[in-house]
Amino acid sequence: MHMQAYVKPVAIALIMLSLLLVPQFATTYTTSVILNILMWIGLVTSWLILAGFTGYISLGHGAFLGIGAYFVASYWQILPFPILILLSGLICVFVAAVVGYPVLRVKGPYFVILTLGLSEFVKYSLVYYEVNIRGTVGRILLRTPSLENLYYWVLVICLLSIATAYLIKRSRFGLALMSIKDDEDAAEALGVNAALAKWKAFAISAFFPGMIGAVMAMRWTYIDPYTVFNPMMSFQVTITAFLGGIAYVHGPIIGATMLTLLSQSLWARYPNFYMIALGVILIFIVMFLPQGLAGLLSKINVPGFIKDVFKNVSSPERRKEL
Amino acid sequence: MILQGKGLTKQFTGLLALADVDMCLRENEVLGIMGPNGAGKTTLFNLLSGYHRPTRGNITLLQTDITFFKPYQIVKMGLARTFQLVRPFQELSVLQNVMVGSVFGPGRKVSMAEGEKVALEILEFVELSHRARALGKTLNIQERKRLEIARALASNPRVLLLDEVLAGLTPTESQEAVVLIRKIREEKNISIIMVEHVMKALMELSDRLVVLNYGRKIAEGTPDEVIQEKEVIKAYLGEKTSA
């Protein structure tokens, strides 16, 4: 019995240590794959701060990534890198706050379509600016930081987003958001300022993709509106979230790891097949796994430490049952 | 006078749902609202709790004009409501359901720890403690009604609006609910307005009754007075043709 209490912290410490050591010991290829996984975990976890808690599915999350990337591309070698990353995040918070106020009044499918429309609007506005005003197609970034350097930045941002989601889930704010998800009118009748809570969640969730976009711009070294504002990014965030299970804080970790490994193994040789696989996975989750892989994991009897690692991370009522 | 509505009028497109209704609620009183379907009872509740804005008229709660307050502001002022179609938060536990009320309902900021303590007391009060860890969606209709009341009570209100809390209950369950409503009034010193179709319970519980028909107030008084009013009999039973 006493042993079990140590399993979770020890496992987490081991995972953390190995993540810290990756750039020192792993090959460049492995490091870049893990960096990609961490990027997706950060994107999906931050997306869930709005979608997971309140049920407002945004298809505009990728736009914040693009804004962060473009901001860095514009000021690269003018401002120091850490400042650029932080500013990218803050600018996205600002954009989300301005856009979110009217947009979050729209509910259900209309909200989904509106966020997609807005991110396309940003993309084509930027295309227009690049082509007609600057006379360029995209931007090339020179003298970017090393892979190792970027890896640690993504790791920090990713952990920060997980910690944020975890803390929100246990807070007053989290309780307000979860009540909105089930019934916004009933939540208001009990004193929850739903408009304010959604607005805050949207702004917080935009902070992380902004920073991730800033770091990834350095990784990609070439930026143009069509690639960084590709709606596929937003779609994949959503698919990854549902694959992992949107009700669980550890859902994104499972979903992002699975999908990134799948894409790495298929993308190089059968690029079209990856898209087909993504479609099939989506259909499969919707029909058979509404709780995602994390939901599946909580139902089946997983032997060993895996379940111990995850069991305290799941919902509060389950935590109290144990 | 704890709550007062003056000249309350609500015009929907093509329908006058409520026409120039005056009403008031006294300290520690149970006020029953009755009337046939479509009489404007729920509209009145929606105006009082901020879900609709009156076309004309104003509402005063504890000396404050709340006519244009939003629902979440009105709870914090001390007026809580239940919904006719009970709406538990399905994916939250019963305790968390009540905590939404105890944490966000009061006019001051309440911590999660304090909110949990209050919520547990309220669950004890409505006799739902044994279900505290169950998810909202697993409750049966009687438990849902109790949870609905518990959540509203958790905001520590001065005025409680009960929208058909007896509907859908068996006669035994209904009697238990009547006992609970009495207990709320006696132990919590809360003034209650209730809309109810179960006439027996309404007669038993109310100090005064307001009768609505086609959006107008047609009678007001003690239960005994009201059931003798010609207008009321007419509204419920129709007019005698051979007089």
Side-chain angles (χ1 to χ4, degrees):
Chain A
M1 289 304 281
H2 269 282
M3 280 298 287
Q4 281 199 341
Y6 295 104
V7 171
K8 189 186 159 197
V10 167
I12 287 179
L14 282 176
I15 293 170
M16 291 299 302
L17 189 67
S18 41
L19 282 173
L20 279 173
L21 293 176
V22 161
Q24 265 74 40
F25 294 100
T27 61
T28 313
Y29 175 76
T30 312
T31 307
S32 71
V33 170
I34 296 177
L35 185 149
N36 265 342
I37 293 177
L38 292 173
M39 172 191 86
W40 283 110
I41 294 175
L43 286 175
V44 175
T45 304
S46 58
W47 180 79
L48 283 170
I49 289 173
L50 181 72
F53 289 125
T54 70
Y56 277 71
I57 307 284
S58 160
L59 285 182
H61 209 56
F64 295 121
L65 185 90
I67 291 171
Y70 249 90
F71 179 75
V72 167
S74 310
Y75 292 95
W76 178 232
Q77 291 178 328
I78 297 171
L79 290 170
F81 191 42
I83 305 270
L84 276 179
I85 295 175
L86 190 65
L87 280 178
S88 299
L90 291 176
I91 282 168
C92 287
V93 170
F94 179 74
V95 171
V98 172
V99 173
Y101 193 72
V103 167
L104 285 160
R105 286 165 183 267
V106 181
K107 289 176 190 172
Y110 302 99
F111 176 78
V112 181
I113 304 294
L114 187 56
T115 52
L116 179 63
L118 273 172
S119 74
E120 290 291 278
F121 170 78
V122 174
K123 177 170 86 180
Y124 286 104
S125 305
L126 206 59
V127 170
Y128 179 86
Y129 172 78
E130 289 283 85
V131 174
N132 294 303
I133 295 171
R134 272 178 54 101
T136 52
V137 184
R139 319 231 176 159
I140 294 165
L141 299 166
L142 300 170
R143 292 206 270 165
T144 53
S146 67
L147 174 65
E148 184 185 333
N149 189 333
L150 298 177
Y151 174 90
Y152 285 119
W153 276 111
V154 175
L155 179 63
V156 168
I157 297 165
C158 170
L159 292 176
L160 212 58
S161 70
I162 294 173
T164 307
Y166 190 82
L167 290 176
I168 288 177
K169 184 147 194 169
R170 267 144 193 72
S171 68
R172 284 176 102 240
F173 181 46
L175 185 64
L177 295 177
M178 289 186 285
S179 70
I180 290 170
K181 181 179 188 174
D182 266 344
D183 191 328
E184 212 165 317
D185 279 340
E188 293 234 311
L190 297 174
V192 176
N193 185 346
L196 183 68
K198 287 185 293 187
W199 191 54
K200 279 201 247 173
F202 190 52
I204 293 170
S205 85
F207 184 52
F208 302 97
M211 292 197 293
I212 291 173
V215 179
M216 291 313 285
M218 300 286 120
R219 175 98 185 91
W220 295 324
T221 65
Y222 172 75
I223 301 281
D224 74 62
Y226 288 105
T227 43
V228 293
F229 286 94
N230 185 350
M232 260 318 288
M233 292 300 283
S234 297
F235 295 153
Q236 193 158 337
V237 166
T238 311
I239 296 169
T240 311
F242 278 97
L243 176 67
I246 63 165
Y248 301 85
V249 173
H250 62 277
I253 301 172
I254 301 172
T257 309
M258 299 283 289
L259 270 194
T260 309
L261 293 179
L262 183 74
S263 91
Q264 289 298 330
S265 53
L266 293 176
W267 199 233
R269 267 179 257 170
Y270 317 101
N272 293 325
F273 189 73
Y274 173 66
M275 299 306 286
I276 295 172
L278 212 55
V280 172
I281 287 171
L282 187 61
I283 294 167
F284 184 78
I285 307 162
V286 170
M287 293 185 69
F288 304 109
L289 268 186
Q291 301 294 314
L293 292 173
L296 188 68
L297 201 69
S298 73
K299 281 197 196 86
I300 57 174
N301 199 6
V302 184
F305 76 98
I306 299 174
K307 203 170 178 181
D308 281 320
V309 174
F310 290 133
K311 88 178 156 191
N312 285 354
V313 196
S314 48
S315 52
E317 57 274 12
R318 187 168 293 110
R319 180 163 55 94
K320 277 166 184 161
E321 271 171 18
L322 291 162
Chain B
M1 203 76 69
I2 190 161
L3 176 71
Q4 190 164 35
K6 273 194 186 148
L8 292 175
T9 302
K10 181 67 188 177
Q11 175 86 55
F12 291 111
T13 323
L15 171 79
L16 188 60
L18 213 58
D20 202 24
V21 170
D22 291 325
M23 56 77 57
C24 68
L25 179 69
R26 300 181 189 128
E27 193 83 36
N28 200 22
E29 174 185 52
V30 176
L31 176 68
I33 312 277
M34 57 182 274
N37 284 329
K41 305 184 295 288
T42 297
T43 304
L44 178 62
F45 264 27
N46 284 340
L47 292 185
L48 294 175
S49 56
Y51 279 84
H52 291 151
R53 288 190 168 183
T55 314
R56 278 190 302 281
N58 62 66
I59 303 161
T60 315
L61 171 68
L62 299 161
Q63 277 84 47
T64 309
D65 186 334
I66 60 159
T67 315
F68 297 110
F69 279 33
K70 295 202 162 68
Y72 70 88
Q73 294 170 319
I74 291 177
V75 201
K76 292 183 197 294
M77 293 292 304
L79 184 149
R81 73 167 291 176
T82 66
F83 288 93
Q84 191 177 336
L85 295 168
V86 286
R87 297 166 149 184
F89 302 123
Q90 310 270 343
E91 300 295 333
L92 297 186
S93 71
V94 168
L95 178 64
Q96 285 176 311
N97 263 274
V98 182
M99 277 175 70
V100 176
S102 61
V103 169
F104 298 101
R108 65 199 167 81
K109 188 165 177 167
V110 176
S111 72
M112 289 288 272
E114 191 190 344
E116 181 167 345
K117 193 169 149 272
V118 173
L120 287 168
E121 282 166 19
I122 301 280
L123 282 173
E124 192 73 41
F125 183 82
V126 303
E127 293 162 26
L128 210 55
S129 301
H130 58 293
R131 300 289 274 149
R133 310 286 170 199
L135 290 185
K137 63 181 173 190
T138 64
L139 299 189
N140 65 33
I141 183 72
Q142 186 187 20
E143 291 167 337
R144 277 169 196 236
K145 297 262 179 185
R146 285 194 176 238
L147 175 58
E148 188 80 9
I149 294 174
R151 292 197 308 195
L153 284 177
S155 66
N156 194 22
R158 296 288 305 279
V159 177
L160 181 61
L161 308 190
L162 298 174
D163 197 352
E164 297 206 22
V165 287
L166 304 182
L169 299 181
T170 65
T172 321
E173 290 167 351
S174 184
Q175 203 48 50
E176 286 167 12
V178 167
V179 172
L180 176 62
I181 295 168
R182 282 228 173 83
K183 196 166 104 175
I184 292 170
R185 177 196 190 169
E186 281 155 20
E187 294 180 23
K188 302 243 170 218
N189 190 27
I190 293 172
S191 313
I192 297 172
I193 306 183
M194 54 189 299
V195 163
E196 205 51 69
H197 272 299
V198 183
M199 290 299 284
K200 181 172 167 279
L202 203 57
M203 294 289 164
E204 247 179 78
L205 285 166
S206 308
D207 299 304
R208 281 189 308 128
L209 282 173
V210 164
V211 188
L212 299 176
N213 195 24
Y214 294 112
R216 284 171 206 285
K217 183 165 82 176
I218 56 167
E220 182 174 6
T222 64
D224 290 335
E225 287 165 13
V226 161
I227 49 166
Q228 310 209 353
E229 293 250 358
K230 272 191 195 135
E231 283 282 325
V232 177
I233 297 167
K234 207 167 85 183
Y236 273 86
L237 302 172
E239 209 163 353
K240 261 191 211 163
T241 43
S242 57

